[in-house]
Amino acid sequence: MKDPSNAQQVEYWNGPAGERWARLQERIDLHMSGITEAALGFAAPQPGERILDVGCGCGTTTFRLAFRAGRNGAAAGIDISIPMLNVARARATAQNADVVFLQADAATYDFQPVFDLAFSRFGVMFFADPVHGFANIRRSLAPGGRLVFACWRALADNRWAADPMAAAAHLLPPQEPADPFAPGPFALADGDRLRSILANAGYGDVVLEPFDGAMNMGATLEEAAAEVLNIGPLARAAAELDEATRAKIHRTVESAYARYVSPAGITPPAACWFVKGRISGQYREDRAANSGTPG
């Protein structure tokens, strides 16, 4: 088994990146609004259910899940990012919402089997050992419980991220060849590998449903280009560049995004997997411990 520690991700999401995402919470929610609605519909949370929101960030999906669970249900969010959880807890206080937020790593937290649904919107692609991470989430589920999440498909299919990267490539420092399975936004893009990971983590009845939607990157090209330099692969690649170079990238991204101008704003294509699975009756507790990450 690989080291399940997500130390690099903990450092990243508690540093400037996490602070930036916390600051931009309302705009990021707008970017993902269409995907969020579709993912919640796919998960179909029911009144009275106990729901865990994995990688809950600033809590938007947790609040939505709590609303659907109703008075007889409950929702809890778990995330490694203190800056984003600070926002989530402040929102809960402002709304007088009975929602619990845990600052912990879902890959290693000592869960009790109390949840009917473990849900995640783009929060499960960052495990150092995904088999171990998903197996640990499985331990949070009560008998009959289910896992439902959204993750990105391939970068090439996500034009909201791929087009800016391609357009700005000549302005970026040399990029090291990326390990496609390393923790990151597109780590679970390979559907066959994802099925294998979930099987080894103890899930059966696994369904992968492709979802093709859009990211709403902003009202104008200027706003959209600024957002790409705040979130996503280009933001990470350009983080250390000087302001003059970043300004050139901004103009380049505006040109690349021009084709996506719509009445709703700048809406480049986004491609996801919607995934669901249940606890496998054939699962043995030591299986994940003895199984490395497939692929």
Side-chain angles (χ1 to χ4, degrees):
M1 184 183 75
K2 295 180 181 178
D3 180 359
S5 170
N6 291 315
Q8 287 185 326
Q9 295 299 322
V10 171
E11 180 180 3
Y12 181 79
W13 290 107
N14 283 287
E19 293 169 358
R20 185 166 59 249
W21 279 65
R23 187 174 64 252
L24 299 175
Q25 169 257 314
E26 291 185 2
R27 280 149 59 177
I28 292 171
D29 284 345
L30 173 63
H31 302 333
M32 298 184 181
S33 58
I35 298 171
T36 300
E37 288 295 329
L40 289 170
F42 183 77
Q46 299 298 305
E49 287 193 316
R50 298 156 297 177
I51 305 172
L52 175 68
D53 189 9
V54 179
C56 64
C58 295
T60 296
T61 46
T62 320
F63 295 126
R64 299 286 298 279
L65 293 163
F67 177 79
R68 299 204 181 190
R71 292 183 178 180
N72 295 324
I78 184 169
D79 204 288
I80 59 175
S81 175
I82 293 173
M84 286 195 278
L85 287 174
N86 286 341
V87 173
R89 288 166 176 155
R91 295 172 75 190
T93 298
Q95 298 174 29
N96 195 28
D98 186 17
V99 176
V100 174
F101 291 104
L102 303 172
Q103 195 273 313
D105 185 348
T108 57
Y109 186 75
D110 185 17
F111 287 115
Q112 298 302 306
V114 298
F115 293 101
D116 304 296
L117 167 63
F119 174 86
S120 183
R121 182 196 68 179
F122 304 126
V124 294
M125 302 91 69
F126 305 96
F127 296 134
D129 183 337
V131 170
H132 181 94
F134 280 110
N136 201 57
I137 293 170
R138 187 198 63 80
R139 295 186 181 99
S140 76
L141 294 173
R146 66 198 190 280
L147 168 73
V148 181
F149 63 89
C151 63
W152 298 115
R153 298 201 326 259
L155 173 62
D157 297 325
N158 281 280
R159 308 315 308 179
W160 68 270
D163 285 10
M165 283 293 290
H170 65 290
L171 296 169
L172 296 173
Q175 302 293 301
E176 294 291 330
D179 176 356
F181 302 145
F186 304 101
L188 301 179
D190 185 313
D192 290 339
R193 176 174 178 268
L194 179 51
R195 288 180 185 277
S196 181
I197 288 170
L198 293 175
N200 280 315
Y203 297 91
D205 301 324
V206 172
V207 174
L208 271 66
E209 183 174 300
F211 175 80
D212 295 299
M215 286 277 275
N216 187 331
M217 297 303 296
T220 66
L221 287 169
E222 180 179 3
E223 183 178 319
E227 288 300 272
V228 170
L229 283 165
N230 278 320
I231 63 170
L234 183 57
R236 190 175 294 201
E240 303 300 324
L241 296 179
D242 60 85
E243 288 304 312
T245 304
R246 288 172 64 85
K248 291 178 182 178
I249 291 174
H250 189 289
R251 293 191 292 271
T252 299
V253 173
E254 285 192 30
S255 297
Y257 266 179
R259 74 187 74 179
Y260 303 125
V261 174
S262 76
I266 315 305
T267 54
C272 315
W273 290 119
F274 287 171
V275 185
K276 66 174 64 173
R278 292 187 178 274
I279 299 173
S280 171
Q282 302 301 313
Y283 182 77
R284 289 175 54 214
E285 285 297 329
D286 63 349
R287 183 175 178 182
N290 295 325
S291 174
T293 303

